Amino acid sequence: MLNGEKMLFSGMQATGTLTLGNYLGALNNWLTLSDEYKCLYCVVDEHSITVRQDPAELRKRARNLLTLYIAAGLDPEKNIIYYQSHVSAHAELAWILNCYTYMGELQRMTQFKDKSAKHADNINAGLFTYPVLMAADILLYQADVVPVGIDQMQHLELTRNIAERFNNIYGDVFTVPEAYIGKVGAKIQSLQDPSKKMSKSDENVNASIYLTDDRDTIIRKFKRAVTDNEACVRYSDDQPGIKNLITIYSAVTGKTPAEVEAEFAGSGYGDFKLAVGEAVADRLNPIQAKQADLLANKDYVDSIIKNNAEQANYLAQKTLRKVQKKVGFPERIR
Ligand code: ATP
Ligand code: LTN
């Protein structure tokens, strides 16, 4: 809580092209929550360099992601939409929190284990302390709630532990945040292997729907989606492929899985897959058009970037100064 207002913080990495999993697991929930809280939506470009990036490409992707947040419906006049690297307090607080986080805690993080297996030639210290930077992102703004997909729960738990540890030593400095996991779409699976999560770093392009995919591509990918052989549209763990498609259809239409089963009772997989593809394309196509408009409107987007970074900086400095004082850094002479 800051100035009596309930705060929300979330972010996404500017790596790869966002998938329908990112949209349904995270972005879509951001939209439903944005009226209830004072919200910060960050493009976490500092997290992105834990994996080697091409500089020009990273810059382009960061802008694409920031405009996508707006195109998806987040109002930049009401919400603070900004780049992590424009607010130096993130890195400064991360340094301090590093000194209140144990190696053993970080060694248990499954994302670190997965990413270091994947990038065995570049297991850098940033990849290891990534969750501490994430904790700093959240705690800097005294966030009450953090909407994320289920895979980020472990990082959220760590953030809570760091906040509680710090508060136990220094008094009530940080709000201890809650994760918000949406009811539908918290975990969208790969279209080619329903036992794996849909991921923007999957090498098989048919496994994921990208938010940049055009209508025909979306429909084609759903047609090719791996399904089961029971030939009926039923929401069951025995049919993980169809279950995943029902989850997607529910998330974009707002219908419950039972309503979806009733709608497609007696239909084959083909009809259902086409309906899912069309519903997803109907949802994504307007966002793509709005994003293209924003990318063409450089001055408007630049003014948002500037104003919103100023607002984020102002809020971040409040917490940072308090923390610096608590840990014993000398006062600034004005
Ligand atoms: P990568 O595959 O490169 O690790 P990612 O697709 O997991 O990336 P992130 O940037 O790590 O994407 O995640 C952004 C947000 O999207 C997070 O809140 C995460 O929990 C959510 N998310 C990612 N994949 C899915 C998914 N398949 N289903 C639901 N939510 C997801
Ligand atoms: N680790 C997150 C991205 C992230 C984040 C955050 C999410 C970085 N900082 C703070 C919520 C709050 C991920 O999605 N992979």
Side-chain angles (χ1 to χ4, degrees):
M1 179 116 45
L2 251 175
N3 303 333
E5 260 181 315
K6 285 259 194 195
M7 307 294 290
L8 178 153
F9 184 94
S10 202
M12 278 193 212
Q13 295 204 61
T15 36
T17 307
L18 285 210
T19 69
L20 187 62
N22 301 127
Y23 178 74
L24 296 179
L27 203 47
N28 204 30
N29 293 324
W30 297 4
L31 288 166
T32 52
L33 293 171
S34 66
D35 287 340
E36 284 171 57
Y37 295 88
K38 172 82 194 155
C39 303
L40 292 110
Y41 297 113
C42 187
V43 172
V44 293
D45 47 359
E46 290 176 330
H47 278 97
S48 300
I49 62 162
T50 54
V51 171
R52 207 61 81 222
Q53 303 290 338
D54 173 74
E57 191 62 27
L58 177 60
R59 221 182 324 274
K60 187 169 144 209
R61 286 191 163 147
R63 195 168 176 102
N64 281 344
L65 185 55
L66 186 130
T67 50
L68 187 73
Y69 287 180
I70 303 169
L74 297 170
D75 182 347
E77 309 286 337
K78 287 204 201 120
N79 307 291
I80 303 179
I81 294 173
Y82 72 107
Y83 297 124
Q84 186 182 33
S85 61
H86 285 189
V87 179
S88 58
H90 288 251
E92 290 178 80
L93 181 62
W95 170 255
I96 297 174
L97 297 182
N98 265 321
C99 304
Y100 296 82
T101 308
Y102 298 113
M103 298 287 284
E105 289 179 303
L106 295 176
Q107 267 151 357
R108 284 199 290 277
M109 296 292 121
T110 51
Q111 183 173 305
F112 171 68
K113 291 185 211 164
D114 293 349
K115 297 251 157 151
S116 42
K118 221 168 171 182
H119 304 277
D121 55 338
N122 181 21
I123 306 177
N124 59 72
L127 195 62
F128 189 61
T129 59
Y130 173 114
V132 184
L133 180 58
M134 176 161 165
D137 299 340
I138 297 167
L139 300 180
L140 207 42
Y141 301 97
Q142 308 291 355
D144 297 276
V145 69
V146 183
V148 280
I150 240 157
D151 60 310
Q152 293 301 312
M153 266 315 268
Q154 202 186 23
H155 290 161
L156 246 292
E157 270 312 309
L158 177 71
T159 302
R160 291 168 56 86
N161 291 340
I162 297 172
E164 280 166 358
R165 182 171 305 143
F166 200 92
N167 287 351
N168 282 336
I169 307 173
Y170 300 106
D172 230 0
V173 177
F174 294 126
T175 302
V176 180
E178 302 278 346
Y180 176 95
I181 309 280
K183 285 181 207 67
V184 271
K187 197 159 183 215
I188 301 298
Q189 305 300 102
S190 152
L191 297 185
Q192 290 299 313
D193 176 357
S195 68
K196 277 188 0 195
K197 86 163 190 167
M198 185 181 286
S199 160
K200 52 177 131 78
S201 42
D202 201 311
E203 271 146 31
N204 182 349
V205 292
N206 289 319
S208 305
I209 300 290
Y210 299 106
L211 297 194
T212 46
D213 283 345
D214 62 25
R215 191 174 192 87
D216 289 348
T217 309
I218 294 171
I219 290 173
R220 178 171 44 76
K221 286 184 179 177
F222 276 110
K223 262 191 201 156
R224 287 198 192 163
V226 169
T227 40
D228 323 278
N229 47 22
E230 291 191 25
C232 69
V233 178
R234 201 163 56 85
Y235 189 76
S236 137
D237 289 337
D238 308 334
Q239 290 176 254
I242 282 292
K243 185 178 172 194
N244 190 36
L245 297 189
I246 295 178
T247 302
I248 293 171
Y249 191 71
S250 294
V252 292
T253 59
K255 294 176 184 163
T256 64
E259 285 167 346
V260 181
E261 283 180 346
E263 184 179 345
F264 292 95
S267 310
Y269 284 165
D271 290 345
F272 179 54
K273 285 176 166 179
L274 180 63
V276 181
E278 283 178 339
V280 169
D282 286 348
R283 176 63 81 89
L284 297 187
N285 289 159
I287 298 176
Q288 293 163 350
K290 177 121 194 269
Q291 187 191 25
D293 282 351
L294 286 165
L295 287 170
N297 199 342
K298 185 173 183 304
D299 291 348
Y300 171 69
V301 174
D302 283 349
S303 74
I304 285 179
I305 291 171
K306 183 165 179 289
N307 291 339
N308 284 355
E310 278 166 11
Q311 290 180 49
N313 255 306
Y314 175 78
L315 298 176
Q317 284 300 325
K318 280 193 179 183
T319 303
L320 183 65
R321 292 282 176 262
K322 192 167 171 189
V323 171
Q324 288 173 329
K325 195 169 166 194
K326 292 282 183 185
V327 300
F329 293 168
E331 266 181 56
R332 279 153 207 262
I333 317 289
R334 286 169 199 261

